[in-house]
Every structure is written in C-alpha cells, then in structure tokens.
C-alpha cells in the first residue's frame, strides 16, 4: 500500500488512530497533555489529506466531553455533534459536490413508492456486510468489534464519563461512513469496493485499541473496586497485585 503513488490512506490511518487513542486517554485519565496531543494529531490529519479534516471532526464530541465538567456534558455533546454535522456537510460539499446530486437515498425512496424492486445501488448494505464479515480482507476484526459493542455498556462501572466519551467516539466514527455510503452518491464506491476498504483502514487501528480497552476494563471492573474519591478523575482500578 505504501508503494502506491498518491495514496495517503496509510498515513491518515496512523495519524487519525493515534489522535483517537489520545482522545480516549484524555477521557479516561483527564490528563491535559493527552488533549494537546489529540489536537496536534487531529491537525496532522488535515495536512495529510482533505478527508482528514472530516475524520478530525469526529473526535470533537468526545473531546468536548473530556473538557466539560459533569454539569455541562449535555451541552458538550450537542455542541460537538453540531460541529461534526455542519463541518461534514460543508466539507463534503467542497470536496465532492456531485455526491449531493446523486444520493442513493432518493433513489431508494422513489423505487419504494413505485413498488419497484430495489436497484443495484440499494445493495450498498449487502456489499458492506459481505466486505466486513464474509470476504477475507479483515479476517476477525469486525467480528471482534461487534462483540465489543455488546460489552461496551459495562464500562459504566469504571465511570460514566469514560463510557460516554468512548461511546461518542465509536458512534461518530461509525456515523461518517454510514452517512457517506448510504446518503450520498458515494454508495457506488461501496458497491464496487473501490473506496470501502480505504475508509475502513482509517478506523482499523483505533478500533483494535478500543477492542482491547473495552475488554481489559470490563475485566478489571469485575475484579477490583474503584476508589470512590478518585473515580471521577479517571483513577485506575485499585488492585491488590499492583
């Protein structure tokens, strides 16, 4: 992949995943240095590729939750999601304006109203499912990620802010490819598999980290109690073997 001239996806995957890991570290430890690191890496994403700006915006909601106090979390979520939605629409309009004139959702609605069988464009969901779970591109990654989503709510035992920040990061990073492939003309890039794996590559290292984080913290929360006076500040589990 490195040898392909003009392809910056590997470098974008590196910068974005490290930025996401820094955001999670910020959410879980409340260490200001992790927030600064996340900001620098998010800026690096925008220097690698234009699409990196959109990916950087997906980090905003979780970052604002880490920055906000307990009483301002709802405001942080609303503000972060507003920035993400507005920025994504504007950037897609600038990068690929024709995507808004070839939306697959309009074709699906028209076919439904006319009682016609869905066209090949409507098979984007099938193409994505096959790519994630049946084809040999990713092996077991997405099976593990699907299982992780089931245990992710157990993170509330280690602190609600941790669950909220991690959940927001997962939802926002998943929402971007869903929006692009299901609600714009980019569905063709998923159906013919030309851009699908390039976008998933940006998420893969971060999701591997989230998988490990979720399972380790779920195990630790069951084995050892948390110190109540430090829990809200991102304390690690109190364990007798440490």
């Amino acid at each position: 992949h490195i040898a392909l001239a003009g392809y910056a996806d590997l470098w974008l995957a590196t910068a974005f995943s490290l930025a996401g890991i820094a955001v999670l570290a910020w959410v879980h430890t409340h260490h200001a240095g992790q927030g600064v690191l996340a900001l620098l890496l998010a800026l690096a994403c925008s220097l690698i590729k234009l699409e990196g700006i959109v990916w950087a915006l997906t980090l905003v909601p979780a970052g604002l939750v880490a920055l906000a106090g307990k009483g301002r979390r709802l405001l942080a979520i609303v503000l972060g999601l507003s920035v993400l939605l507005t920025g994504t629409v504007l950037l897609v309009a600038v990068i690929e304006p024709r995507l808004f004139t070839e939306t697959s959702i309009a074709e699906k609605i028209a076919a439904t109203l006319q009682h016609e069988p869905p066209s090949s464009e409507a098979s984007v969901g099938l193409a994505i499912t096959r790519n994630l779970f049946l084809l040999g591109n990713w092996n077991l990654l997405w099976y593990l990620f699907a299982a992780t989503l089931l245990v992710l709510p157990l993170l509330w035992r280690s602190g609600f802010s941790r669950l909220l920040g991690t959940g927001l990061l997962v939802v926002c990073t998943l929402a971007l490819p869903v929006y692009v492939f299901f609600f714009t003309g980019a569905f063709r890039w998923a159906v013919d598999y030309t851009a699908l794996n390039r976008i998933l590559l940006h998420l893969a290292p971060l999701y591997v980290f989230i998988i490990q984080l979720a399972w380790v913290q779920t195990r630790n929360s069951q084995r050892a109690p948390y110190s109540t006076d430090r829990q809200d500040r991102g304390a690690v589990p109190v364990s007798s073997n440490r």
Side-chain angles (χ1 to χ4, degrees), residues 162 226-236 238:
R162 295 179 176 185
Y226 280 78
S227 175
T228 55
D229 60 336
R230 297 178 60 198
Q231 181 175 343
D232 290 336
R233 291 178 289 167
V236 297
V238 179

Side-chain angles (χ1 to χ4, degrees), residues 6-50:
Y7 277 21
D9 298 287
L10 186 65
W11 314 116
L12 181 56
T14 302
F16 174 71
S17 292
L18 289 175
I21 292 171
V23 168
L24 289 174
W26 189 19
V27 169
H28 285 243
T29 67
H30 298 280
H31 192 286
Q34 296 293 341
V36 174
L37 180 61
L39 178 60
L40 293 176
L41 288 166
L43 292 175
C45 292
S46 65
L47 299 176
I48 296 172
K49 199 175 182 180
L50 282 175

Side-chain angles (χ1 to χ4, degrees), residues 79-147:
L79 180 60
L81 293 178
S82 300
V83 170
L84 172 58
L85 179 61
T86 304
T88 300
V89 172
L90 291 177
L91 286 170
V92 171
V94 171
I95 298 172
E96 290 286 348
R98 63 188 178 88
L99 295 183
F100 289 107
T101 63
E102 302 175 352
T103 55
S104 60
I105 190 65
E107 297 176 5
K108 292 179 184 179
I109 294 175
T112 302
L113 294 176
Q114 297 173 12
H115 303 287
E116 297 178 355
S119 62
S120 59
E121 289 83 355
S123 62
V124 57
L126 178 61
I128 292 176
T129 301
R130 291 184 68 247
N131 187 77
L132 296 182
F133 300 107
L134 297 180
L135 301 182
N137 298 317
W138 297 103
N139 198 8
L140 300 177
L141 173 61
W142 301 105
Y143 287 98
L144 291 172
F145 186 69

Side-chain angles (χ1 to χ4, degrees), residues 110-186:
T112 302
L113 294 176
Q114 297 173 12
H115 303 287
E116 297 178 355
S119 62
S120 59
E121 289 83 355
S123 62
V124 57
L126 178 61
I128 292 176
T129 301
R130 291 184 68 247
N131 187 77
L132 296 182
F133 300 107
L134 297 180
L135 301 182
N137 298 317
W138 297 103
N139 198 8
L140 300 177
L141 173 61
W142 301 105
Y143 287 98
L144 291 172
F145 186 69
T148 300
L149 293 180
L150 298 178
V151 304
L152 199 62
L154 297 178
L155 286 181
W156 68 269
R157 296 179 179 178
S158 62
F160 179 72
S161 62
R162 295 179 176 185
L163 171 62
L164 183 61
T166 306
L168 273 174
L169 185 59
V170 171
V171 169
C172 292
T173 52
L174 282 178
L176 181 57
V178 168
Y179 165 71
V180 169
F181 287 131
F182 283 92
F183 295 94
T184 76

